[in-house]
Amino acid sequence: ITGGNTFIIGDIFLTIVCCDATLTIALVHSTLIECHDITCHDILVVNIGTPEVKLTSQILTLIPTLQPAEKCSWLWTGEYVETNSNIQGINQSMDKIVEITVPGILRELANPEMTCVRMRSDINSDKFFALNNLGNTWIIEEAALSLACNTLWCKACKNNITLKSIIHLATPSDPSTFPYSLADGVSYIIFLSTVLIQLSRFNRRCLH
């Protein structure tokens, strides 16, 4: 968190979304904060989880290190998830960065570390062409993503947030970018394994 006890526009956080009938985790970059429908530049961290707060953000594209799923880390490529959007008035379309708005309750604050892709042997640095010349980027551990996914799903259930009300994304222009995929190309839905088991312990109304 770059603002200490204050969450500011530009901070990174984790949330859950639905994409292609899959509930999955997303690491996002905040672009707008609204409280009581009023735009603000920052908000106290302790107040983010109130019903009046909404966070608009863009989804970061992540690539895993070349390690087993339970040991891998995820690095930002320097790009954001995009979807194909029709241009009004003409029979053409263009790729547009996806923006999502989620309730403040469905967020887990994140503070990724910095790393340099040029100094790593466990990734293909050619996939990070969007980064600056130094090759610096954010990295987040797999354990942090798994924990956040479980925590967010528990929050959704406890606050009676149904699957239908969780934001649903259109298929990205490049489906390989999201949901996040492991090095072998398999969609990383392993996040849900623990979550779905936990459904029996929570209010099953969350599924309807």
Side-chain angles (χ1 to χ4, degrees):
I1 306 169
T2 57
N5 294 326
T6 303
F7 182 86
I8 64 176
I9 291 176
D11 277 352
I12 303 297
F13 67 96
L14 291 154
T15 190
I16 49 176
V17 299
C18 291
C19 184
D20 293 334
T22 299
L23 178 67
T24 189
I25 196 85
L27 184 65
V28 300
H29 175 250
S30 59
T31 58
L32 181 68
I33 303 170
E34 293 178 282
C35 185
H36 295 283
D37 296 323
I38 298 174
T39 300
C40 47
H41 177 265
D42 56 60
I43 186 171
L44 290 176
V45 170
V46 295
N47 294 333
I48 297 178
T50 58
E52 298 81 13
V53 175
K54 296 179 181 179
L55 304 173
T56 299
S57 58
Q58 299 171 340
I59 304 174
L60 281 64
T61 58
L62 301 180
I63 291 180
T65 53
L66 301 174
Q67 296 171 304
E70 66 276 6
K71 296 181 179 180
C72 76
S73 299
W74 297 80
L75 289 80
W76 181 41
T77 65
E79 298 182 290
Y80 298 90
V81 175
E82 297 182 334
T83 189
N84 195 262
S85 178
N86 292 326
I87 302 175
Q88 189 174 3
I90 60 176
N91 189 25
Q92 293 184 8
S93 61
M94 62 180 293
D95 289 340
K96 182 180 179 182
I97 293 177
V98 174
E99 279 204 328
I100 61 173
T101 299
V102 299
I105 192 67
L106 287 185
R107 62 86 193 95
E108 277 294 298
L109 300 179
N111 195 14
E113 297 181 358
M114 292 295 296
T115 189
C116 178
V117 297
R118 294 185 175 183
M119 304 296 291
R120 303 185 67 95
S121 60
D122 55 358
I123 51 94
N124 180 359
S125 60
D126 292 339
K127 295 184 178 181
F128 294 83
F129 58 87
L131 294 177
N132 58 34
N133 292 334
L134 296 177
N136 293 332
T137 190
W138 284 313
I139 183 172
I140 188 166
E141 300 296 322
E142 138 59 21
L145 294 187
S146 295
L147 177 61
C149 191
N150 290 339
T151 301
L152 287 164
W153 180 245
C154 291
K155 284 183 180 180
C157 290
K158 289 180 179 179
N159 289 274
N160 294 319
I161 299 174
T162 66
L163 280 177
K164 290 183 179 180
S165 62
I166 292 174
I167 189 166
H168 286 63
L169 303 183
T171 301
S173 306
D174 180 357
S176 68
T177 60
F178 196 80
Y180 300 135
S181 297
L182 296 171
D184 58 7
V186 177
S187 292
Y188 191 54
I189 58 175
I190 194 171
F191 289 121
L192 295 181
S193 60
T194 312
V195 170
L196 295 179
I197 291 173
Q198 290 177 341
L199 287 178
S200 61
R201 305 175 187 176
F202 295 97
N203 192 335
R204 289 186 178 273
R205 288 181 299 174
C206 292
L207 291 177
H208 303 293

